[in-house]
Amino acid sequence: MKEIKPQQMSRNVFDAIGKDWMLVAAEADGRANAMTASWGGMGVLWNKCVAFVFIRPQRFTKTLIDKADTLSLSFFADDERAMLTYMGRTSGRDEDKLAKQNLIYSSVDGAPVFDRAKMTLVCRKLYRQTLTKDGFFDQSLIKLNYPNGDLHDVYVVEIEKVLVGE
């Protein structure tokens, strides 16, 4: 993989996250795990190139993210949809999802980087906050997206490296 600057990314973030999905991955206590995500974004905050992702409290990957300093956001080719679906529906508490999907990774600055990814953002955590019901101006979003009351934690992460397949 080759490293580029965040400003050199050419992929449309709305397609990459919302339509094509991404894997959010972290490694802690000698174990790595990843989950599919389709909510998040990228931009500039605090004079840094950042990404933000939303993770529900019950996700196993969240326990690793909370212990680690870094995490990765990985984007894959269109033919990886079945793998991304599996990674979003299966819990890492129950099995080694990475092994089951033959997701081989190396650790870059403490974050998993998958060999099959077309692009990976290696990120350092900057901020985490749990969404609150009283923060929603449009209260219908709560009923629509949180029928079980399990509001996401939002993580703001600094994009430290962008790795793209050659």
Side-chain angles (χ1 to χ4, degrees):
M1 295 190 103
K2 160 179 113 169
E3 186 173 350
I4 64 170
K5 294 180 180 186
Q7 297 84 349
Q8 295 174 294
M9 292 188 313
S10 61
R11 196 157 182 197
N12 177 312
V13 67
F14 295 100
D15 287 338
I17 296 173
K19 180 180 160 226
D20 299 333
W21 308 338
M22 64 182 161
L23 278 187
V24 180
E27 186 174 13
D29 301 331
R31 180 157 185 210
N33 196 56
M35 58 172 266
T36 304
S38 62
W39 287 9
M42 294 180 215
V44 177
L45 182 64
W46 304 313
N47 300 311
K48 298 176 181 292
C49 293
V50 300
F52 53 94
V53 296
F54 294 80
I55 303 174
R56 290 194 193 267
Q58 65 268 37
R59 296 303 297 253
F60 177 67
T61 302
K62 182 184 180 321
T63 64
L64 300 178
I65 289 171
D66 288 342
K67 291 179 182 180
D69 293 328
T70 58
L71 57 93
S72 64
L73 307 176
S74 297
F75 303 88
F76 294 81
D78 292 339
D79 62 355
E80 297 277 18
R81 181 61 83 175
M83 175 273 294
L84 290 166
T85 299
Y86 177 86
M87 296 299 287
R89 292 185 177 161
T90 305
S91 175
R93 281 187 188 90
D94 302 330
E95 63 183 55
D96 184 348
K97 297 190 303 184
L98 302 182
K100 187 128 185 188
Q101 291 297 306
N102 197 30
L103 280 167
I104 299 165
Y105 71 93
S106 56
S107 184
V108 175
D109 298 336
V113 173
F114 301 102
D115 64 346
R116 289 173 17 206
K118 295 294 180 195
M119 180 174 71
T120 299
L121 311 180
V122 177
C123 304
R124 184 175 57 87
K125 294 185 309 186
L126 298 175
Y127 181 81
R128 179 194 55 82
Q129 179 69 48
T130 303
L131 298 178
T132 61
K133 289 181 181 181
D134 63 346
F136 283 85
F137 292 107
D138 182 346
Q139 291 287 307
S140 70
L141 293 171
I142 297 170
K143 185 176 182 181
L144 181 65
N145 295 289
Y146 302 102
N148 299 323
D150 55 343
L151 278 70
H152 287 90
D153 278 8
V154 60
Y155 291 82
V156 177
V157 297
E158 181 177 9
I159 302 169
E160 293 192 323
K161 289 183 179 169
V162 179
L163 304 172
V164 293
E166 296 187 69

Short mmCIF file of all heavy atoms in Angstrom, two decimals, residues 110-141:
data_model
loop_
_atom_site.label_atom_id
_atom_site.label_comp_id
_atom_site.label_asym_id
_atom_site.label_seq_id
_atom_site.Cartn_x
_atom_site.Cartn_y
_atom_site.Cartn_z
N GLY A 110 -0.63 0.54 15.52
CA GLY A 110 -1.56 -0.05 16.47
C GLY A 110 -2.95 -0.31 15.93
O GLY A 110 -3.82 -0.78 16.65
N ALA A 111 -3.20 -0.01 14.64
CA ALA A 111 -4.52 -0.21 14.05
C ALA A 111 -4.46 -1.28 12.96
O ALA A 111 -3.50 -1.33 12.20
CB ALA A 111 -5.03 1.11 13.45
N PRO A 112 -5.49 -2.12 12.86
CA PRO A 112 -5.51 -3.15 11.82
C PRO A 112 -5.66 -2.54 10.42
O PRO A 112 -6.53 -1.69 10.19
CB PRO A 112 -6.76 -3.98 12.16
CG PRO A 112 -7.09 -3.65 13.57
CD PRO A 112 -6.63 -2.25 13.77
N VAL A 113 -4.81 -2.99 9.50
CA VAL A 113 -4.89 -2.58 8.10
C VAL A 113 -5.03 -3.87 7.29
O VAL A 113 -4.14 -4.72 7.31
CB VAL A 113 -3.65 -1.78 7.66
CG1 VAL A 113 -3.68 -1.51 6.17
CG2 VAL A 113 -3.58 -0.46 8.45
N PHE A 114 -6.14 -4.00 6.57
CA PHE A 114 -6.47 -5.23 5.86
C PHE A 114 -5.85 -5.23 4.47
O PHE A 114 -5.94 -4.24 3.74
CB PHE A 114 -7.99 -5.41 5.78
CG PHE A 114 -8.63 -5.45 7.13
CD1 PHE A 114 -9.28 -4.34 7.64
CD2 PHE A 114 -8.53 -6.59 7.92
CE1 PHE A 114 -9.86 -4.38 8.91
CE2 PHE A 114 -9.09 -6.64 9.19
CZ PHE A 114 -9.76 -5.53 9.68
N ASP A 115 -5.28 -6.38 4.11
CA ASP A 115 -4.59 -6.48 2.81
C ASP A 115 -5.55 -6.34 1.62
O ASP A 115 -5.14 -5.93 0.55
CB ASP A 115 -3.77 -7.75 2.72
CG ASP A 115 -4.59 -9.03 2.77
OD1 ASP A 115 -5.78 -9.00 3.13
OD2 ASP A 115 -4.02 -10.09 2.44
N ARG A 116 -6.83 -6.67 1.80
CA ARG A 116 -7.81 -6.60 0.71
C ARG A 116 -8.43 -5.22 0.55
O ARG A 116 -9.16 -4.96 -0.42
CB ARG A 116 -8.92 -7.62 0.93
CG ARG A 116 -8.43 -9.02 0.72
CD ARG A 116 -9.37 -10.14 1.06
NE ARG A 116 -10.77 -9.93 1.22
CZ ARG A 116 -11.54 -10.72 1.99
NH1 ARG A 116 -11.01 -11.74 2.64
NH2 ARG A 116 -12.83 -10.50 2.08
N ALA A 117 -8.19 -4.31 1.48
CA ALA A 117 -8.80 -2.98 1.41
C ALA A 117 -8.23 -2.17 0.26
O ALA A 117 -7.03 -2.25 -0.04
CB ALA A 117 -8.59 -2.25 2.73
N LYS A 118 -9.08 -1.39 -0.36
CA LYS A 118 -8.65 -0.47 -1.42
C LYS A 118 -8.08 0.81 -0.81
O LYS A 118 -7.21 1.44 -1.38
CB LYS A 118 -9.81 -0.13 -2.34
CG LYS A 118 -10.32 -1.31 -3.12
CD LYS A 118 -9.27 -1.80 -4.08
CE LYS A 118 -9.76 -2.99 -4.87
NZ LYS A 118 -8.70 -3.69 -5.54
N MET A 119 -8.61 1.18 0.36
CA MET A 119 -8.13 2.37 1.07
C MET A 119 -8.37 2.19 2.55
O MET A 119 -9.43 1.69 2.95
CB MET A 119 -8.86 3.63 0.58
CG MET A 119 -8.39 4.89 1.28
SD MET A 119 -9.11 6.42 0.61
CE MET A 119 -10.81 6.29 1.16
N THR A 120 -7.40 2.57 3.36
CA THR A 120 -7.54 2.50 4.81
C THR A 120 -7.07 3.81 5.43
O THR A 120 -6.01 4.33 5.08
CB THR A 120 -6.71 1.34 5.40
OG1 THR A 120 -7.18 0.10 4.84
CG2 THR A 120 -6.83 1.28 6.91
N LEU A 121 -7.87 4.31 6.34
CA LEU A 121 -7.49 5.48 7.13
C LEU A 121 -7.04 4.98 8.49
O LEU A 121 -7.80 4.29 9.18
CB LEU A 121 -8.68 6.43 7.30
CG LEU A 121 -9.47 6.81 6.06
CD1 LEU A 121 -10.61 7.76 6.43
CD2 LEU A 121 -8.58 7.43 5.01
N VAL A 122 -5.82 5.29 8.85
CA VAL A 122 -5.32 4.98 10.19
C VAL A 122 -5.55 6.23 11.01
O VAL A 122 -5.07 7.32 10.66
CB VAL A 122 -3.83 4.58 10.16
CG1 VAL A 122 -3.31 4.33 11.57
CG2 VAL A 122 -3.64 3.34 9.29
N CYS A 123 -6.30 6.08 12.10
CA CYS A 123 -6.78 7.24 12.84
C CYS A 123 -6.45 7.15 14.33
O CYS A 123 -6.40 6.06 14.90
CB CYS A 123 -8.29 7.36 12.70
SG CYS A 123 -8.86 7.44 10.99
N ARG A 124 -6.27 8.32 14.93
CA ARG A 124 -6.03 8.43 16.37
C ARG A 124 -7.26 9.07 17.00
O ARG A 124 -7.77 10.09 16.52
CB ARG A 124 -4.80 9.29 16.64
CG ARG A 124 -4.42 9.40 18.11
CD ARG A 124 -3.11 10.17 18.30
NE ARG A 124 -3.16 11.50 17.72
CZ ARG A 124 -3.62 12.58 18.34
NH1 ARG A 124 -4.09 12.50 19.57
NH2 ARG A 124 -3.62 13.75 17.73
N LYS A 125 -7.75 8.47 18.08
CA LYS A 125 -8.94 8.99 18.75
C LYS A 125 -8.67 10.37 19.35
O LYS A 125 -7.64 10.59 19.98
CB LYS A 125 -9.39 8.05 19.87
CG LYS A 125 -9.87 6.71 19.41
CD LYS A 125 -10.42 5.86 20.54
CE LYS A 125 -9.47 5.76 21.71
NZ LYS A 125 -9.88 4.85 22.77
N LEU A 126 -9.64 11.27 19.14
CA LEU A 126 -9.57 12.60 19.72
C LEU A 126 -10.69 12.85 20.72
O LEU A 126 -10.49 13.54 21.72
CB LEU A 126 -9.66 13.68 18.63
CG LEU A 126 -8.55 13.71 17.58
CD1 LEU A 126 -8.87 14.76 16.51
CD2 LEU A 126 -7.21 14.00 18.23
N TYR A 127 -11.88 12.30 20.44
CA TYR A 127 -13.05 12.66 21.23
C TYR A 127 -14.12 11.58 21.10
O TYR A 127 -14.26 10.97 20.05
CB TYR A 127 -13.62 14.00 20.72
CG TYR A 127 -14.81 14.51 21.48
CD1 TYR A 127 -14.65 15.18 22.68
CD2 TYR A 127 -16.10 14.34 20.99
CE1 TYR A 127 -15.75 15.66 23.38
CE2 TYR A 127 -17.20 14.81 21.67
CZ TYR A 127 -17.02 15.48 22.87
OH TYR A 127 -18.10 15.95 23.56
N ARG A 128 -14.87 11.38 22.19
CA ARG A 128 -16.01 10.46 22.18
C ARG A 128 -17.12 11.08 23.01
O ARG A 128 -16.88 11.65 24.07
CB ARG A 128 -15.65 9.10 22.79
CG ARG A 128 -16.85 8.13 22.82
CD ARG A 128 -16.61 6.92 23.71
NE ARG A 128 -16.23 7.23 25.06
CZ ARG A 128 -17.07 7.56 26.04
NH1 ARG A 128 -18.36 7.63 25.84
NH2 ARG A 128 -16.62 7.82 27.26
N GLN A 129 -18.33 10.96 22.52
CA GLN A 129 -19.49 11.47 23.25
C GLN A 129 -20.69 10.60 22.91
O GLN A 129 -20.91 10.27 21.75
CB GLN A 129 -19.78 12.91 22.85
CG GLN A 129 -20.98 13.53 23.52
CD GLN A 129 -20.75 13.77 25.00
OE1 GLN A 129 -19.73 14.31 25.37
NE2 GLN A 129 -21.68 13.36 25.84
N THR A 130 -21.47 10.26 23.91
CA THR A 130 -22.70 9.52 23.69
C THR A 130 -23.79 10.51 23.29
O THR A 130 -23.96 11.55 23.93
CB THR A 130 -23.12 8.76 24.97
OG1 THR A 130 -22.05 7.89 25.36
CG2 THR A 130 -24.38 7.95 24.75
N LEU A 131 -24.52 10.17 22.23
CA LEU A 131 -25.65 11.01 21.84
C LEU A 131 -26.68 11.01 22.96
O LEU A 131 -26.82 10.02 23.69
CB LEU A 131 -26.28 10.46 20.56
CG LEU A 131 -25.41 10.43 19.32
CD1 LEU A 131 -26.18 9.81 18.15
CD2 LEU A 131 -24.93 11.82 18.95
N THR A 132 -27.40 12.10 23.09
CA THR A 132 -28.45 12.20 24.10
C THR A 132 -29.77 12.55 23.42
O THR A 132 -29.79 13.25 22.40
CB THR A 132 -28.13 13.27 25.16
OG1 THR A 132 -28.02 14.54 24.50
CG2 THR A 132 -26.84 12.94 25.90
N LYS A 133 -30.86 12.07 23.98
CA LYS A 133 -32.19 12.33 23.39
C LYS A 133 -32.49 13.81 23.33
O LYS A 133 -33.08 14.30 22.37
CB LYS A 133 -33.26 11.60 24.18
CG LYS A 133 -33.23 10.10 23.99
CD LYS A 133 -34.33 9.41 24.76
CE LYS A 133 -34.25 7.91 24.54
NZ LYS A 133 -35.31 7.19 25.26
N ASP A 134 -32.08 14.56 24.36
CA ASP A 134 -32.40 15.99 24.36
C ASP A 134 -31.54 16.78 23.37
O ASP A 134 -31.81 17.96 23.12
CB ASP A 134 -32.28 16.58 25.77
CG ASP A 134 -30.88 16.52 26.35
OD1 ASP A 134 -30.03 15.80 25.80
OD2 ASP A 134 -30.65 17.20 27.36
N GLY A 135 -30.56 16.16 22.76
CA GLY A 135 -29.75 16.84 21.75
C GLY A 135 -30.38 16.83 20.37
O GLY A 135 -29.94 17.55 19.47
N PHE A 136 -31.43 16.05 20.17
CA PHE A 136 -32.08 15.93 18.87
C PHE A 136 -33.11 17.04 18.68
O PHE A 136 -34.04 17.16 19.46
CB PHE A 136 -32.79 14.57 18.74
CG PHE A 136 -31.86 13.43 18.48
CD1 PHE A 136 -31.22 12.78 19.52
CD2 PHE A 136 -31.62 12.99 17.18
CE1 PHE A 136 -30.35 11.72 19.29
CE2 PHE A 136 -30.76 11.93 16.94
CZ PHE A 136 -30.13 11.29 17.99
N PHE A 137 -32.94 17.84 17.64
CA PHE A 137 -33.94 18.83 17.28
C PHE A 137 -35.13 18.13 16.63
O PHE A 137 -36.27 18.53 16.82
CB PHE A 137 -33.36 19.88 16.33
CG PHE A 137 -32.34 20.76 17.00
CD1 PHE A 137 -31.00 20.61 16.71
CD2 PHE A 137 -32.73 21.72 17.91
CE1 PHE A 137 -30.06 21.41 17.33
CE2 PHE A 137 -31.80 22.53 18.53
CZ PHE A 137 -30.46 22.37 18.24
N ASP A 138 -34.86 17.10 15.86
CA ASP A 138 -35.90 16.32 15.21
C ASP A 138 -36.09 15.04 16.03
O ASP A 138 -35.39 14.06 15.84
CB ASP A 138 -35.50 15.99 13.77
CG ASP A 138 -36.57 15.22 13.01
OD1 ASP A 138 -37.53 14.71 13.64
OD2 ASP A 138 -36.44 15.12 11.78
N GLN A 139 -37.03 15.07 16.94
CA GLN A 139 -37.26 13.95 17.85
C GLN A 139 -37.74 12.69 17.14
O GLN A 139 -37.62 11.60 17.68
CB GLN A 139 -38.24 14.36 18.95
CG GLN A 139 -37.68 15.38 19.92
CD GLN A 139 -36.64 14.77 20.86
OE1 GLN A 139 -36.89 13.76 21.51
NE2 GLN A 139 -35.47 15.39 20.92
N SER A 140 -38.26 12.81 15.92
CA SER A 140 -38.72 11.63 15.19
C SER A 140 -37.54 10.72 14.86
O SER A 140 -37.72 9.51 14.64
CB SER A 140 -39.45 12.02 13.91
OG SER A 140 -38.56 12.57 12.95
N LEU A 141 -36.33 11.25 14.81
CA LEU A 141 -35.14 10.43 14.54
C LEU A 141 -34.91 9.40 15.65
O LEU A 141 -34.39 8.32 15.38
CB LEU A 141 -33.91 11.32 14.38
CG LEU A 141 -33.91 12.21 13.14
CD1 LEU A 141 -32.75 13.20 13.20
CD2 LEU A 141 -33.89 11.38 11.88
#
